[in-house]
Amino acid sequence: MILSSTRKRAPIVALLAIACTGLAAAGCSSSSSTSAAGSGSATASSSASSKPTGTVSVAYASSLQFLNEKVVSPAFTAAEGYSFSGRGAASGDLESEIAAGEITPNVFEAVGGDNITPLEPKFTNWYIQYAGTSMVVAYNPKSKYASQFKAIADGSKPVSDLFTLLQTPGLKLGRTDPNTDPQGRDFIYMLELAQMYYHLPSDTGAKILGTSDFGTASSSQIYAESSLDSTLQSGQLDAASAFVTQAIQLHLDYVPLPIAINLGSAALAAQYKKASVTIKSGTKHGSPQVIDITIIGTPTPAGIAFVKYTLSPAGLAEYKQGGFTLPTPKVFGSTSSVPSAISSELGS
């Protein structure tokens, strides 16, 4: 069943509490140093000046925007001393920009390793999978269809009714470009899996998407991932694709989906693979949705510190509070190329 409004706010309150606790802890440390001796102020100043300076540049999937900008970055800066500069966009767009030399981030966080492997070996030759998410359908609580979405969300009506509702003439649905954004493909995979799982008519997906060409970027339903959620919240859309983590962090009302179709279980990888979509770069298949991180180019102290922090107990706790699942972090590619400070965080 969907969480109540109060319960849905709880995870994000906890998220902010983690960040604030980290910042408060830093402040308390300085305060206790001051009260310990008359020279406490000088001691605190010396301690602060001993922290590293500089900035880490992070290119991240837009679905990580709230977590990175509001929670991780202030906690990271308080803990490690480095400033944070982030750029959020569709993982595929970021991959293309890095490959073309248009952006040169220290760190790249993508949804799916298939957005990192095309950068190998020129820009990196490893990545670490460390968090997971899943698909939901978010909806605007002021939409004229809101009561129907809510009934499905709270279990009053079966989830299979969702796919009839999404075909309603006049209902405004938003999604992202499957050619550049993993979420755009995930929404299509989800519809295909639902079609199989619920034994729906074979044209269900085409009716919902408004086209039989699932890989097209030319659709009035398609929005940039960075603006899709705000477009839904403004009332311009009735419903939109979303990761459950975005819905939790942004307080979106949403319909949770069965694990058989939500792309959230590693154990169901073979089932998810049955869904596919052909895009400009070829045919892609469904897979469990995971977050991967790597360093681009020559590792910098700030970049190493950011990846290390993200994979630390404190960093992973922030992801957990944001609704992510936490599989055991796993290195793909050249393990020997992973900086030792990061490897040590993995226990290797």
Side-chain angles (χ1 to χ4, degrees):
M1 287 183 141
I2 190 168
L3 300 175
S4 67
S5 176
T6 300
R7 291 181 62 194
K8 286 196 296 181
R9 289 189 176 91
I12 198 62
V13 171
L15 259 173
L16 294 173
I18 289 176
C20 291
T21 299
L23 293 169
C28 290
S29 174
S30 297
S31 176
S32 59
S33 297
T34 302
S35 61
S39 60
S41 178
T43 302
S45 176
S46 174
S47 175
S49 63
S50 68
K51 273 194 173 184
T53 58
T55 300
V56 61
S57 171
V58 181
Y60 57 79
S62 288
S63 55
L64 299 175
Q65 182 170 356
F66 184 93
L67 186 68
N68 268 336
E69 300 292 344
K70 302 297 184 181
V71 181
V72 174
S73 64
F76 164 71
T77 297
E80 303 296 333
Y82 296 103
S83 298
F84 174 94
S85 175
R87 167 167 167 68
S91 295
D93 284 338
L94 293 172
E95 172 207 318
S96 297
E97 291 171 358
I98 292 170
E102 295 173 9
I103 60 173
T104 55
N106 306 126
V107 177
F108 180 27
E109 294 175 315
V111 177
D114 58 349
N115 291 291
I116 295 177
T117 52
L119 299 173
E120 299 174 342
K122 182 176 181 180
F123 297 93
T124 186
N125 56 12
W126 61 269
Y127 63 89
I128 298 171
Q129 180 184 110
Y130 66 98
T133 187
S134 59
M135 290 297 297
V136 299
V137 173
Y139 66 92
N140 188 299
K142 295 182 180 180
S143 163
K144 62 182 178 181
Y145 306 102
S147 62
Q148 296 177 66
F149 281 114
K150 186 177 184 301
I152 298 169
D154 66 22
S156 300
K157 291 186 176 181
V159 175
S160 57
D161 283 8
L162 172 67
F163 305 99
T164 300
L165 176 58
L166 290 175
Q167 297 177 50
T168 304
L171 184 147
K172 296 178 180 179
L173 173 68
R175 55 192 176 92
T176 59
D177 184 356
N179 292 279
T180 60
D181 186 34
Q183 188 188 123
R185 297 191 290 274
D186 292 340
F187 186 71
I188 293 169
Y189 300 146
M190 182 275 290
L191 292 180
E192 293 180 347
L193 292 167
Q195 194 169 287
M196 291 184 271
Y197 185 66
Y198 292 111
H199 305 289
L200 302 173
S202 60
D203 62 350
T204 297
K207 286 184 175 179
I208 292 173
L209 298 173
T211 177
S212 58
D213 180 5
F214 291 0
T216 183
S218 301
S219 169
S220 60
Q221 294 181 348
I222 292 177
Y223 293 80
E225 186 183 20
S226 58
S227 64
L228 181 58
D229 295 323
S230 60
T231 303
L232 174 68
Q233 291 172 310
S234 72
Q236 297 176 62
L237 297 172
D238 297 301
S241 67
F243 290 129
V244 66
T245 43
Q246 292 172 292
I248 288 172
Q249 294 162 24
L250 299 176
H251 310 302
L252 304 178
D253 290 272
Y254 66 94
V255 177
L257 301 170
I259 197 169
I261 69 173
N262 71 6
L263 304 166
S265 171
L268 294 180
Q271 173 66 18
Y272 298 157
K273 193 174 181 180
K274 294 178 182 178
S276 65
V277 61
T278 299
I279 56 176
K280 294 175 183 177
S281 61
T283 299
K284 299 274 190 177
H285 293 268
S287 62
Q289 288 312 285
V290 291
I291 310 300
D292 301 281
I293 191 168
T294 190
I295 286 178
I296 298 298
T298 302
T300 64
I304 293 172
F306 183 81
V307 176
K308 179 178 172 65
Y309 177 81
T310 298
L311 300 174
S312 72
L316 292 178
E318 291 160 359
Y319 273 80
K320 184 176 182 179
Q321 291 292 344
F324 288 88
T325 56
L326 298 178
T328 301
K330 181 178 180 180
V331 179
F332 290 81
S334 175
T335 56
S336 63
S337 298
V338 180
S340 58
I342 296 172
S343 294
S344 65
E345 199 63 57
L346 301 175
S348 59

